[in-house]
Amino acid sequence: MHRLLAPLLLLILALALVTGGAVSFIQRDRQALVDQFARDRQAQLEEAASGVARSLEDLGDNLRFASELLAQPGSTGDHHNELRALLESVGQYRAIAVHGPDGAERLFLVDRKSRHLPRESVHPPALADTARQAREAPAGYVIPSYPIEGAPSGSGWMRVFATRIDSEAPGGGGTVAILVDTEPLFAPLRMVTVDGNTRLLLLGAHGMPAPMSDPGLVAWHRRMQEPAGALVSGLLALEERMRAGASGTLRIPEAEAQRLGLGLADAVATFRPLRMRGEASWSVATLSSTSALRSHERTLVLRLSLAALLIAVFLVAFGTYVVLANRRAVALSESRRHAARFAHLHEKTQKILDHIPTGILALSHEGRISGVNQALRSRLPPSAVGSTLPEAFPTAPAAAVQRLVALVASARALGVVRSLHGEPLSLFTEKDQYNVHSVPLEHGDGEVSTLLVLEDLSNVRMLEDQLLRAEKLATVGVLAAGVAHEIGTPLGIIRGHAEYMLKKVGGVEHPQGRGLNAIVTQIDRVSRIIRQLLDLSRLQPARAAAVPLVPVVRGLQELLDVEAERRHLDFELDVPERLPCLAADADQLQQVLLNLTLNACDACSAGGRVKLSAAAFAGSGAQALEMVEIRIQDDGRGIAPEHLHQVFDPFFTTKKRGQGTGLGLSVVAQIVRNHGGQIGVDSEPGRGTVVTLRWPVAAAPNWEERHAV
């Protein structure tokens, strides 16, 4: 009996020491847990604040861009249109004001959503005040205003941002100021306060808390200068670092955290600035309670103690059993060791197989599936385990499944790995392509004698297609330069001869003068197209003006009628006279319509029909721009569904070799997108194609916009 008690007592003592050591280790390592907690909160704040910082940088870049536009030579109308485009493109901008070097307001615009508001709501005194401060600031420096009370979006969010226009610009410089609703800019910061133990403090550009800040922290901020401010010295130190533009973490003691409403535990403050290209404007901080860590620590200690107690009880019983049956215990111990080893190997093997992206099937001697890894489990029927290969692939062609069965049988018979490379087996879809390997197991049991490995090559093929497309795009610039050089010189010679002949015959009044003049005009247009081809690989903004659609279409009608007569086609126009003017470059608009109409003619056979129609179109949504919808419809051969997504790729064409370069639709798509329009293709083989353009209309002046005289 004494021999039994001594080992048991030693065992219990060892368990007590281990438990006490674990508890002591947890308590001693609490600082490390708090540091990790602080790093996690810092990373969370960085993630949320990075988007806000980018939004502030975009705001500063837009303001500098506006000042650069105003510094360029141009009429007041040009500047008005450019600022209107900027105002309507950013939903947070409410108004833009331009002041001269003498402080007089030259231009004022209001966005469409704020036109119904009283003038004093969108034209606060802060516009002029902030502009005056910007005139005295360095060039490119953005000056923010204090929060504007009584603004349309609510208290505290509306602010004015202003910057100086270059004094060497036409008109002597001046300032440009934007009235901005800043609430959407800071909205991503709300995600850090989802946790109930976290408070947010956001200091504005002038060091005052923003409306998003926690009310309790704001209340203590107002009491900083009172004697009670000494009770929150940690918060005071935090705000000093925030105003200095610093970033990092700060530990707040439990007593102060309780006063700040963060519970009975220490708090961790993480903070960082939000800058506008180096200008410290805002600073954000989160204060998070570590009460969850304390609760987790207590729970862990309790669980560890209970586990130690249960282990002690179990080991006492097991020790008694070992003493009474030593021989059986030795055998049992050996058996348990082997079982644990086998379980470990089985678990490790299963995890390895599940995390391999290639599909793997385990087959028994009878050819039935005994196991499936994660890569294939979701693609096979729920009853795949226990079924044969034909039952596991019910949608696959019988010939493809039979090839798998034959491959498995061959590998078993020869005892070597048998493979199929790049086979289009169509096991799940029509485009499936696989590398297949049948691997016989030398020491396999009845349940697993062969492994069937299915390596899906779909992603590889997709990446190859993307690489090929990228290589095509890379050649655009080189090709464009060569085309411009090789074609531009002959065109110049032809144009010179045409002009010479036009002078010889006496001008356009001569019967042949009209044709010669058409040659000169079309060569000029081809020259412009060559220049646009050079722009295919570098996106440039279009120089849009108000262009009526009807004259552009009529200018093309003669050429299109001749082309339709030559091809024996029926060409139809349906363009109403009272359509609004388009915001477009007239030559580029003509190029788009000509390319699309000629493509439609190319798709039709003799007796076919091509129709060009237009109608007003209003986009959906409160902020959608009014557009004109232009449709080019034909009843030609159509486009195969697998080619629809490629029609706007450079050098892609469905025409025969020598009949098309594949650049026309690429240029068309780029021109449409440069103008802020949309282009889409709807086609069905054998039933024709419809190309739809939605082109923005030119903006009309509004009563809210005025110009200084």
Side-chain angles (χ1 to χ4, degrees):
M1 191 65 177
H2 293 289
R3 296 175 62 184
L4 177 62
L5 290 176
L8 291 178
L9 291 175
L10 290 175
L11 183 60
I12 294 173
L13 179 60
L15 288 173
L17 291 175
V18 170
T19 302
V23 172
S24 176
F25 173 78
I26 291 175
Q27 292 176 345
R28 185 175 63 252
D29 203 46
R30 188 172 189 276
Q31 182 59 42
L33 294 176
V34 173
D35 292 342
Q36 182 61 43
F37 178 80
R39 286 192 293 271
D40 293 341
R41 290 299 181 271
Q42 184 74 24
Q44 184 182 25
L45 180 62
E46 288 289 338
E47 180 180 0
S50 60
V52 177
R54 286 193 298 270
S55 298
L56 290 174
E57 289 182 3
D58 291 343
L59 171 59
D61 290 341
N62 287 342
L63 194 56
R64 297 183 186 94
F65 175 70
S67 69
E68 292 173 1
L69 287 177
L70 294 169
Q72 299 298 320
S75 65
T76 304
D78 292 338
H79 292 162
H80 164 271
N81 291 335
E82 292 164 349
L83 294 179
R84 165 59 62 188
L86 175 62
L87 181 62
E88 298 298 342
S89 64
V90 182
Q92 293 83 20
Y93 296 173
R94 294 292 177 262
I96 297 180
V98 180
H99 296 80
D102 57 352
E105 187 176 271
R106 290 184 174 180
L107 184 63
F108 177 68
L109 299 91
V110 181
D111 77 323
R112 297 184 180 181
K113 295 185 297 184
S114 303
R115 291 175 182 172
H116 65 283
L117 298 174
R119 177 179 174 81
E120 57 271 13
S121 298
V122 294
H123 196 285
L127 276 172
D129 295 341
T130 310
R132 183 173 58 256
Q133 298 176 35
R135 287 199 304 272
E136 301 172 357
Y141 197 93
V142 177
I143 301 296
S145 71
Y146 281 94
I148 301 174
E149 301 295 335
S153 72
S155 175
W157 285 114
M158 297 298 292
R159 291 176 184 262
V160 175
F161 295 82
T163 190
R164 182 163 64 87
I165 303 172
D166 190 356
S167 59
E168 298 181 0
T175 59
V176 56
I178 302 180
L179 180 63
V180 182
D181 180 4
T182 60
E183 183 175 9
L185 302 180
F186 295 97
L189 295 178
R190 297 187 187 277
M191 60 181 280
V192 301
T193 59
V194 174
D195 181 5
N197 293 327
T198 301
R199 304 288 185 270
L200 179 70
L201 178 61
L202 177 62
L203 296 185
H206 299 280
M208 302 300 294
M212 189 180 292
S213 300
D214 178 72
L217 298 179
V218 173
W220 277 106
H221 169 83
R222 294 170 180 167
R223 301 175 61 188
M224 286 292 186
Q225 305 305 324
E226 302 176 5
L231 300 175
V232 288
S233 57
L235 180 61
L236 178 61
L238 173 63
E239 290 195 6
E240 289 177 352
R241 297 187 185 184
M242 292 173 67
R243 291 191 186 95
S247 61
T249 60
L250 185 66
R251 185 84 171 268
I252 297 179
E254 178 179 336
E256 183 175 343
Q258 184 178 5
R259 296 188 192 101
L260 296 175
L262 293 171
L264 292 172
D266 292 348
V268 174
T270 59
F271 53 95
R272 63 153 289 173
L274 303 172
R275 302 180 181 277
M276 298 174 64
R277 194 182 289 179
E279 305 162 15
S281 298
W282 276 265
S283 184
V284 62
T286 59
L287 289 83
S288 303
S289 174
T290 61
S291 57
L293 291 179
R294 180 172 296 183
S295 175
H296 175 73
E297 177 185 345
R298 292 172 179 170
T299 302
L300 184 61
V301 171
L302 179 60
R303 289 181 179 178
L304 187 61
S305 301
L306 291 176
L309 179 60
L310 292 175
I311 293 174
V313 172
F314 169 76
L315 290 178
V316 167
F318 182 71
T320 303
Y321 178 76
V322 169
V323 172
L324 296 177
N326 186 45
R327 292 182 180 179
R328 189 177 177 182
V330 172
L332 180 60
S333 177
E334 189 68 16
S335 176
R336 288 182 62 195
R337 188 177 66 82
H338 286 296
R341 178 65 176 170
F342 177 77
H344 173 71
L345 292 175
H346 177 75
E347 180 183 6
K348 183 167 67 174
T349 303
Q350 188 63 40
K351 287 184 177 180
I352 292 173
L353 292 177
D354 277 343
H355 287 80
I356 292 176
T358 302
I360 300 177
L361 294 173
L363 301 176
S364 65
H365 279 302
E366 294 79 16
R368 293 188 174 274
I369 299 174
S370 58
V372 184
N373 75 333
Q374 185 65 33
L376 272 181
R377 192 174 298 130
S378 59
R379 307 182 70 181
L380 295 178
S383 58
V385 176
S387 63
T388 62
L389 287 176
E391 294 170 345
F393 299 96
T395 61
V401 179
Q402 191 57 39
R403 294 198 66 185
L404 297 181
V405 174
L407 186 69
V408 172
S410 175
R412 287 179 181 171
L414 299 176
V416 296
V417 177
R418 303 287 291 173
S419 302
L420 299 174
H421 296 283
E423 292 293 326
L425 298 176
S426 302
L427 297 178
F428 301 103
T429 65
E430 295 181 358
K431 299 181 180 180
D432 281 348
Q433 197 170 3
Y434 293 90
N435 286 338
V436 185
H437 310 281
S438 180
V439 183
L441 301 181
E442 183 178 353
H443 302 291
D445 56 14
E447 284 194 13
V448 182
S449 63
T450 308
L451 296 180
L452 188 62
V453 182
L454 302 175
E455 183 181 357
D456 192 349
L457 302 179
S458 302
N459 290 335
V460 176
R461 295 292 182 266
M462 180 180 67
L463 291 175
E464 290 176 350
D465 292 342
Q466 291 176 355
L467 179 60
L468 180 60
R469 187 177 302 173
E471 291 175 349
K472 282 185 177 182
L473 292 174
T475 63
V476 170
V478 177
L479 177 62
V483 167
H485 176 73
E486 297 297 332
I487 296 180
T489 301
L491 284 178
I493 296 173
I494 295 172
R495 188 184 189 281
H497 282 74
E499 283 186 334
Y500 174 76
M501 294 174 66
L502 182 61
K503 291 179 181 178
K504 281 291 186 181
V505 300
V508 295
E509 291 79 11
H510 191 274
Q512 302 299 325
R514 183 180 178 185
L516 292 172
N517 186 62
I519 292 175
V520 173
T521 302
Q522 292 304 316
I523 287 177
D524 288 341
R525 198 173 70 80
V526 171
S527 298
R528 289 193 296 271
I529 293 174
I530 291 175
R531 289 195 301 271
Q532 292 165 5
L533 183 61
L534 290 172
D535 295 334
L536 182 61
S537 60
R538 58 181 187 268
L539 192 63
Q540 294 182 348
R543 297 181 179 178
V547 177
L549 180 60
V550 173
V552 174
V553 174
R554 287 178 178 170
L556 294 174
Q557 186 171 6
E558 181 178 353
L559 176 62
L560 296 176
D561 286 341
V562 172
E563 188 68 21
E565 182 178 354
R566 184 179 69 83
R567 298 171 184 253
H568 304 289
L569 302 176
D570 181 16
F571 179 69
E572 181 182 347
L573 284 176
D574 182 13
V575 180
E577 292 283 346
R578 297 196 174 187
L579 283 176
C581 292
L582 304 184
D585 181 300
D587 290 339
Q588 292 185 0
L589 176 60
Q590 185 183 53
Q591 179 184 354
V592 168
L593 297 180
L594 181 62
N595 281 357
L596 294 178
T597 310
L598 291 179
N599 274 357
C601 293
D602 291 340
C604 296
S605 55
R609 177 173 172 270
V610 176
K611 180 179 180 181
L612 190 155
S613 60
F617 173 82
S620 59
Q623 300 181 9
L625 295 175
E626 293 183 356
M627 292 187 174
V628 169
E629 184 173 273
I630 306 171
R631 292 164 60 90
I632 296 90
Q633 183 175 2
D634 66 71
D635 57 0
R637 58 181 175 271
I639 303 171
E642 62 269 19
H643 293 156
L644 275 177
H645 70 285
Q646 296 177 281
V647 294
F648 298 118
D649 289 351
F651 308 111
F652 175 80
T653 179
T654 58
K655 298 179 182 178
K656 295 180 180 179
R657 182 181 298 274
Q659 296 183 3
T661 64
L663 285 174
L665 286 180
S666 299
V667 175
V668 165
Q670 179 167 311
I671 291 174
V672 173
R673 291 164 186 156
N674 280 359
H675 284 80
Q678 303 168 9
I679 184 169
V681 179
D682 186 13
S683 183
E684 185 176 346
R687 303 191 66 177
T689 301
V690 178
V691 179
T692 303
L693 300 177
R694 290 176 182 167
W695 205 290
V697 303
N702 297 289
W703 67 268
E704 293 88 347
E705 303 165 2
R706 62 183 180 84
H707 303 272
V709 179

